[in-house]
Amino acid sequence: MPTLPPITSLPTSSPSQRAQILDLLFEPSTQLHTLALPLLHTTPFPSYDDLISAVGVQLTALAESASTSDTRWLESILASHPRLGAKGVESAQSRGEQAGLGLQGEGEREGEELRGLNEAYEARFPGLRYVVFVNGRGRGAVMEDMRRRIEGGDVGGSGGLLLEFVLLGFELIGLGG
């Protein structure tokens, strides 16, 4: 699995290197690159925790904005996270996370159930994907959380989704930061 370079190297890194760091911490997203790359170039961060928090502030500003274009921008960033159980997951960290849940080799029945839950979630919350901070939870607990959100209409609000997305970055700090 790729490792993060020293945090002190960010200001002198190329834009493509900074984009790769964002991809490692979150998920590959052109919209996130557009939002956060200038911050990574101009702001020295003492730690990756501080960088993730700063990106969280930017995402929160989008979530709290009354602008529909900001809302769509945020939704596209959150939608960069792959669906649970999806085939062909691009990022190594998501493959690892899904493997940790036992989702890469799930049986046909569980695969169908996950596809159905993903579809139901996305129908209930148009423009959004289910995003969760796994943190050691098993497949059953994650799928139950998915069902609870769908049935209760509880997406957690943009702030709740944002928290989950930012926590994904914190979960990955063990990559070398």
Side-chain angles (χ1 to χ4, degrees), residues 49-119:
D49 285 351
D50 293 319
L51 180 155
I52 292 166
S53 293
V55 171
V57 168
Q58 290 183 306
L59 295 172
T60 299
L62 289 177
E64 293 175 350
S65 172
S67 166
T68 55
S69 65
D70 285 351
T71 300
R72 283 192 302 271
W73 197 264
L74 176 62
E75 288 173 353
S76 69
I77 292 170
L78 295 174
S80 67
H81 196 273
R83 290 174 180 90
L84 283 179
K87 304 296 181 207
V89 173
E90 287 184 42
S91 69
Q93 68 267 28
S94 287
R95 280 193 304 274
E97 189 177 88
Q98 293 206 23
L101 281 173
L103 298 176
Q104 290 299 315
E106 79 272 356
E108 191 172 320
R109 184 185 65 75
E110 287 175 323
E112 275 302 312
E113 185 176 3
L114 273 173
R115 277 187 288 285
L117 285 170
N118 282 321
E119 289 170 9

Side-chain angles (χ1 to χ4, degrees), residues 123-147:
R124 176 82 166 172
F125 308 108
L128 298 178
R129 287 213 180 127
Y130 176 77
V131 177
V132 69
F133 181 52
V134 174
N135 194 26
R137 287 188 271 183
R139 175 184 359 191
V142 169
M143 290 171 68
E144 183 55 39
D145 180 67
M146 233 174 153
R147 284 186 204 92

